[in-house]
Amino acid sequence: RKEVEQDPGPFNVPEGATVAFNCTYSNSASQSFFWYRQDCRKEPKLLMSVYSSGNEDGRFTAQLNRASQYISLLIRDSKLSDSATYLCVVHTGRRALTFGSGTRLQVQP
Amino acid sequence: NAGVTQTPKFRVLKTGQSMTLLCAQDMNHEYMYWYRQDPGMGLRLIHYSVGEGTTAKGEVPDGYNVSRLKKQNFLLGLESAAPSQTSVYFCASSYRRLQGAGYNEQFFGPGTRLTVL
């Protein structure tokens, strides 16, 4: 089983739609959680950290469910510019992060 | 402030050739990392460094060597390239994680696209 699993998609949604991605992780001792965004043929960039109580940044909301070992990302009012691959990232207590393989989002006009 | 830079951006090698990828950061970060990204596999950690003069193996270290002689530079070497090393290589850096604190954001370079024939 992969340490971090994501549905690869693609998720094709119209502009203005709400879309949600889930990510599951296998190590119950995982301590820190993040969503990174990666545009086609570009480097990953931090979108937001995920806190235990859930957190929001504009149109983006992240949730953590430790009991079920998953994190989620909700995007409201999707824009064309949201089209990208979203990487779920987990810190398991070792020195480095573990990246999921990503979920591709395509927002259509 | 250039952030994290990588050279070269593209390279084509023949099997058995050697090369070095250079990563440089100007953010005074203590930690540096080398990842490879393959389709459907996500980013996999090759080697990392928590400070000048120190390196450690990541998830997929075989066939690669690294050096961190200066704090701002992290070099990735391929001694004898193989077609399985065809990939996109990303370097990243971050601040040192403080005891009891959360993990710090990693800043990535633009990547090196390597093809081994």
Side-chain angles (χ1 to χ4, degrees):
Chain A
R1 183 184 173 188
K2 289 183 181 179
E3 287 192 60
V4 179
E5 293 204 66
Q6 297 182 250
D7 181 343
F11 284 63
N12 295 303
V13 302
E15 272 187 291
T18 296
V19 61
F21 311 133
N22 282 341
C23 162
T24 58
Y25 59 94
S26 60
N27 190 333
S28 60
S30 298
Q31 300 170 355
S32 303
F33 309 88
F34 310 88
W35 284 102
Y36 275 68
R37 170 194 168 127
Q38 186 173 25
D39 293 298
C40 187
R41 300 180 72 80
K42 298 287 188 181
E43 71 272 23
K45 293 182 179 179
L46 180 67
L47 177 67
M48 59 195 303
S49 301
V50 185
Y51 302 119
S52 297
S53 56
N55 49 298
E56 191 174 303
D57 183 2
R59 298 182 292 109
F60 299 84
T61 300
Q63 298 276 357
L64 168 63
N65 185 319
R66 286 192 184 271
S68 301
Q69 293 181 210
Y70 77 83
I71 67 174
S72 63
L73 177 67
L74 181 78
I75 306 175
R76 291 181 299 278
D77 189 23
S78 298
K79 311 291 185 192
L80 293 175
S81 57
D82 293 333
S83 296
T85 296
Y86 291 84
L87 307 175
C88 172
V89 185
V90 175
H91 181 228
T92 58
R94 295 173 305 182
R95 288 289 177 85
L97 302 173
T98 301
F99 286 75
S101 54
T103 297
R104 192 155 66 90
L105 171 66
Q106 184 65 48
V107 181
Q108 296 163 338
Chain B
N1 190 335
V4 180
T5 58
Q6 292 182 234
T7 53
K9 288 187 169 50
F10 304 92
R11 187 71 185 269
V12 178
L13 291 178
K14 294 182 180 178
T15 296
Q17 287 185 316
S18 63
M19 78 163 294
T20 300
L21 283 67
L22 172 63
C23 176
Q25 52 95 5
D26 60 2
M27 296 175 282
N28 203 31
H29 286 166
E30 292 85 2
Y31 294 179
M32 296 187 75
Y33 315 83
W34 275 107
Y35 294 90
R36 59 178 289 173
Q37 187 174 35
D38 303 293
M41 300 288 289
L43 281 93
R44 292 183 292 168
L45 183 67
I46 303 171
H47 287 279
Y48 63 96
S49 168
V50 298
E52 184 177 320
T54 71
T55 62
K57 294 180 180 179
E59 181 185 356
V60 288
D62 294 340
Y64 306 94
N65 56 76
V66 288
S67 64
R68 182 113 180 256
L69 299 180
K70 294 182 179 180
K71 185 177 183 178
Q72 64 267 34
N73 294 338
F74 195 28
L75 277 64
L76 177 71
L78 286 73
E79 290 183 348
S80 180
S84 61
Q85 294 177 305
T86 294
S87 188
V88 180
Y89 292 86
F90 287 103
C91 175
S93 69
S94 70
Y95 285 113
R96 179 174 63 90
R97 177 171 175 253
L98 299 176
Q99 184 76 18
Y103 209 87
N104 291 310
E105 175 184 0
Q106 289 188 12
F107 293 83
F108 284 82
T112 294
R113 282 166 175 75
L114 175 66
T115 301
V116 183
L117 302 176

